[in-house]
Amino acid sequence: DEALSIARHCEERNRERQDLDRAILDGVMRRVEALDGNDTWGIALSDTSWHPGVIGIGAWRVVEQTGRPAFLVAVNDGVGKGSGRSIPAFDLHAALTSCSDLLVKYGGHRAAAGLTIDPARMDEFAERFNAVARERLTADDLLRVVRIDLELPIDDATADLERVLRHFEPFGIGNPGPTFASRRVTVAAAATRIGADGLKCMVDTPGGPVEAVGWGIGHRAAELSRGAEVDLAYKLERNTFRGADKLQFGIVDFRPAA
């Protein structure tokens, strides 16, 4: 009885974290979309509504969607605490060293780092961080590379496989979640735009239609019309809504089927 109570508590808190994560990511991507991508090579954003416990996950997803190093800073009680993630070509800790006069403290390594900053210096930090990124990166470094771990028949992309993959969590820097690719996937229901440049659609599988959601690709929704056949790169995810779990495909990229 005691273990069950603890498990329920953990599950409820995890759902709360997932809700926070989605809300933060949606807000972040709206702001990212407003940036000039040609001029912004290093992203640094702050907000008083963000929870410091989930900004690391948010920063990693910004990097996944934009191909640029990113810092998210949660401001609480007049103190900014940030978490950053990077791309292979950019040394995040070295970049912070170049900005050290603007920071209260910082630490980390090449791929991930954290910082504490006076919120009044956030604009200056964002400008300096971007300048360092522009100085040390090339345009080729910013090309988004999609790594496919396994080509998988859509028949095998099941809820059972998603449950098995949970044993390899947590995913992130050093342990990225697996990306699958399936060819000639049929769109069962046309894509609609959601949030900040996101989209969702339904795709056909032998077990019935499965919802597919992608972020940063909402402008491509017209390419996913009903009946279209695409080669799909995706992650297997679990969507929990009102206590019910269902399989969901997290779209990484897609192209018209050959």
Side-chain angles (χ1 to χ4, degrees):
D1 289 345
E2 183 180 356
L4 185 59
S5 175
I6 293 171
R8 284 199 185 106
H9 173 75
C10 290
E11 182 65 18
E12 289 169 2
R13 295 310 301 273
N14 189 49
R15 287 199 186 104
E16 290 174 10
R17 180 201 58 79
Q18 290 172 335
D19 290 343
L20 280 171
D21 181 23
R22 292 189 192 100
I24 287 177
L25 181 62
D26 187 54
V28 168
M29 292 311 298
R30 288 180 187 275
R31 293 174 61 179
V32 168
E33 287 299 315
L35 298 174
D36 182 351
N38 294 323
D39 184 62
T40 307
W41 290 25
I43 298 169
L45 301 170
S46 67
D47 201 283
T48 56
S49 67
W50 294 343
H51 191 288
V54 298
I55 54 174
I57 298 171
W60 170 242
R61 293 189 176 175
V62 171
V63 174
E64 280 191 314
Q65 296 294 337
T66 66
R68 287 159 167 73
F71 262 97
L72 299 186
V73 178
V75 178
N76 292 284
D77 299 323
V79 178
K81 293 189 176 180
S83 186
R85 300 294 184 269
S86 194
I87 59 177
F90 191 69
D91 188 331
L92 201 60
H93 187 269
L96 288 185
T97 300
S98 298
C99 304
S100 60
D101 57 303
L102 304 176
L103 307 174
V104 176
K105 62 180 179 179
Y106 67 94
H109 50 82
R110 182 183 185 89
L115 61 81
T116 301
I117 187 172
D118 180 343
R121 310 208 74 169
M122 190 63 210
D123 289 344
E124 192 177 357
F125 169 69
E127 184 177 344
R128 176 93 62 86
F129 183 66
N130 183 43
V132 172
R134 291 186 60 84
E135 176 187 320
R136 300 181 185 182
L137 292 170
T138 68
D140 287 344
D141 293 329
L142 302 181
L143 292 176
R144 186 165 169 260
V145 177
V146 178
R147 187 198 74 252
I148 304 298
D149 295 294
L150 181 67
E151 187 172 330
L152 189 72
I154 198 67
D155 309 36
D156 295 332
T158 64
D160 286 342
L161 177 57
E162 188 277 328
R163 278 190 287 270
V164 170
L165 295 177
R166 291 182 216 167
H167 292 286
F168 298 94
E169 293 178 340
F171 297 127
I173 293 277
N175 185 39
T179 298
F180 300 101
S182 296
R183 297 181 187 271
R184 304 196 71 84
V185 176
T186 302
V187 178
T192 56
R193 298 192 63 162
I194 57 173
D197 201 28
L199 63 78
K200 68 176 179 179
C201 65
M202 303 295 289
V203 299
D204 276 333
T205 75
V210 172
E211 185 176 75
V213 176
W215 299 102
I217 55 174
H219 57 285
R220 299 180 61 193
E223 299 175 47
L224 295 174
S225 59
R226 182 180 180 185
E229 287 192 332
V230 296
D231 295 335
L232 189 67
Y234 59 96
K235 295 181 182 292
L236 290 178
E237 300 175 347
R238 173 180 39 148
N239 183 20
T240 302
F241 182 68
R242 293 180 178 175
D245 286 347
K246 65 178 180 179
L247 179 66
Q248 177 177 279
F249 296 158
I251 302 174
V252 176
D253 205 351
F254 66 90
R255 67 185 183 193

